[in-house]
Amino acid sequence: MRVPPFHRYRRFSQISAVFVLGMVAGTVLYNSIFHAGYDALWRENQELRLEVEQNRKDIQTLKKYNNSSTVIREIKVRAETSRDRDKDGEPALEPATAKEIVGKMTEDLEPMRGRSMFEIDTDGKLARLLLDGKIYIVREKEYAVSIRTMLVMEGVLQIWVEIRPVARG
């Protein structure tokens, strides 16, 4: 049996190889775009879930204390953005992580709801002792929290905190 000479099929094999490589490159590009979009959607979903849960708690508290104007009805914890950057130049704290830590802090501050606004001096000291320097673990990373400012106005306790990653040596 005779084998046909390969030089006749060389051009066809080159075109086929370029076509297959183009398909692979296109698939990789499409997959990366799809995953970037999915990641953005997932992050937004997480943030909205935390916000919905916080709003549910606020609605329950407002229903419970709607007739008394001198109690803390709502607790808002705000994370100050840090200017720290990690090795890659990305912000050291992702927004989803910050929201998760804020949610955990709100749960820790839950006993302050319904307390009198006029007793905030003792409650503020208690909150500082409990939370200042506390370490929260989120997604297997440790973050330290320090309280910057506490303000009570119209039944809303607002707390500004700074969240920093803990560097273990």
Side-chain angles (χ1 to χ4, degrees):
M1 180 168 181
R2 217 171 125 209
V3 177
F6 185 69
H7 64 59
R8 289 184 183 176
Y9 305 108
R10 181 175 296 167
R11 185 77 179 147
F12 175 73
S13 64
Q14 286 175 345
I15 291 172
S16 298
V18 168
F19 181 72
V20 170
L21 286 175
M23 285 177 31
V24 169
T27 303
V28 168
L29 181 67
Y30 175 77
N31 201 17
S32 66
I33 291 171
F34 174 78
H35 282 292
Y38 185 79
D39 186 50
L41 183 65
W42 180 82
R43 288 176 191 264
E44 184 178 348
N45 188 10
Q46 288 297 104
E47 289 178 11
L48 290 174
R49 282 182 182 204
L50 290 171
E51 189 175 329
V52 164
E53 186 61 34
Q54 179 65 35
N55 288 341
R56 279 189 188 138
K57 289 179 183 177
D58 289 344
I59 287 171
Q60 287 176 349
T61 305
L62 290 172
K63 283 181 181 177
K64 188 176 180 181
Y65 298 111
N66 67 349
N67 293 331
S68 57
S69 61
T70 62
V71 298
I72 297 173
R73 295 186 302 252
E74 190 176 345
I75 298 173
K76 290 186 178 181
V77 180
R78 302 175 191 270
E80 292 180 349
T81 56
S82 174
R83 292 182 183 86
D84 294 342
R85 301 273 179 185
D86 63 2
K87 301 172 209 167
D88 303 328
E90 295 291 320
L93 187 65
E94 294 179 357
T97 304
K99 290 231 180 209
E100 199 167 329
I101 292 172
V102 165
K104 288 182 178 185
M105 287 186 68
T106 304
E107 289 175 13
D108 289 344
L109 291 168
E110 197 62 36
M112 294 187 74
R113 279 187 204 258
R115 305 284 303 254
S116 173
M117 289 191 307
F118 301 114
E119 298 174 5
I120 193 62
D121 56 342
T122 58
D123 295 340
K125 290 175 186 174
L126 177 67
R128 280 196 187 273
L129 288 173
L130 289 176
L131 295 178
D132 206 22
K134 185 171 182 178
I135 294 177
Y136 289 96
I137 300 173
V138 175
R139 297 187 188 132
E140 293 141 15
K141 291 184 181 178
E142 295 180 342
Y143 297 94
V145 175
S146 59
I147 296 176
R148 293 291 168 217
T149 307
M150 293 178 73
L151 175 69
V152 177
M153 190 167 85
E154 298 177 3
V156 179
L157 172 63
Q158 296 185 30
I159 300 174
W160 283 267
V161 296
E162 186 177 354
I163 303 170
R164 292 182 181 258
V166 176
R168 295 285 179 176

